[in-house]
Amino acid sequence: GDKRKFAAPGGQWRRFQDACSAAFDLARPYFEKRQSVQEETLSELERFIESGLEKAADESAASKDLTPIMRSARQAIRRLDELPPKARGAAAGKLRELMNRISERLDTAFEKVEAEKRRLIDQAKRLGDEPELKSAIDRAKGLQADWKKAGQGRRRTDQTLWKEFRAQIDPLFERLDGERKEREQAHQAVFKEIEGLCARAEALSELDDEELMDAGNRMQEISD
């Protein structure tokens, strides 16, 4: 618009400028502290990115070592407003590069884990062909140990594969538990029979001498 038409009187303009300067002087320590904190946060982020890229390039790094880095990178990219404004764009680019590299490593690791677990499932499916239950159980326990050694894959896929794996070996352990219960029942039956024989023998011991002399055959029957 017309600057002259809408311009404030000189005295008012000076008062306004003085008020702005006074307000800025009061806020200056905060701005200086904020700038210091933002620069320190940027330095920490740069060290984190450098360390993360080194870990992503390390072929011996396991997925359990890379997953926390990915999680931290995702948190950092949501907190770019804690950095100096001019550094936010470059920091976002570096974080995306780090996340992409780790994602590639994790995808490769997860595919390897999932392939191994599918192999174990295929072996578990053949356990039903074992002629002896004990042999099948021993192999099932070995497959369980191998499953743990295979490591963790993608959570959802891992859960699906685990259910499929358990569906193959759980019936074996159920059969084993059923046989154990049958043996326990048989043992209990024998134990009750032995208790009955003991009671009969104890009853003979309470007979008087004459009756005991005639009880030899009964005792022999109990012993037999």
Side-chain angles (χ1 to χ4, degrees), residues 48-112:
F48 164 74
I49 293 174
E50 182 180 358
S51 174
L53 290 173
E54 290 178 359
K55 183 68 71 172
D58 184 1
E59 295 296 332
S60 64
S63 57
K64 65 178 181 179
D65 301 320
L66 298 174
T67 302
I69 299 175
M70 175 66 85
R71 190 180 302 117
S72 298
R74 287 172 177 166
Q75 293 173 350
I77 207 166
R78 292 195 294 266
R79 297 168 58 184
L80 293 175
D81 57 342
E82 298 178 4
L83 304 177
K86 293 182 179 180
R88 293 172 187 174
K94 291 179 180 178
L95 282 169
R96 291 191 183 94
E97 179 186 357
L98 173 61
M99 292 167 64
N100 289 337
R101 292 192 185 183
I102 293 180
S103 180
E104 291 174 359
R105 287 290 310 279
L106 289 176
D107 287 344
T108 301
F110 289 156
E111 289 170 2
K112 183 178 179 180

Side-chain angles (χ1 to χ4, degrees), residues 207-218:
L207 298 176
D208 57 31
D209 292 346
E210 292 183 3
E211 292 177 319
L212 190 59
M213 292 295 293
D214 297 332
N217 292 335
R218 292 160 61 187

Side-chain angles (χ1 to χ4, degrees), residues 164-224:
E164 188 175 352
F165 179 69
R166 294 301 312 184
Q168 305 304 321
I169 65 174
D170 281 351
L172 298 174
F173 289 100
E174 291 171 0
R175 282 176 53 194
L176 181 67
D177 188 56
E179 291 184 1
R180 178 183 60 80
K181 289 179 179 178
E182 290 179 0
R183 288 195 300 270
E184 288 180 354
Q185 292 174 354
H187 292 162
Q188 287 295 326
V190 172
F191 182 72
K192 288 182 180 179
E193 186 175 357
I194 292 174
E195 278 188 323
L197 295 174
C198 290
R200 290 170 59 187
E202 288 171 350
L204 292 179
S205 70
E206 296 174 358
L207 298 176
D208 57 31
D209 292 346
E210 292 183 3
E211 292 177 319
L212 190 59
M213 292 295 293
D214 297 332
N217 292 335
R218 292 160 61 187
M219 189 61 205
Q220 186 62 46
E221 179 185 350
I222 295 173
S223 297
D224 293 340

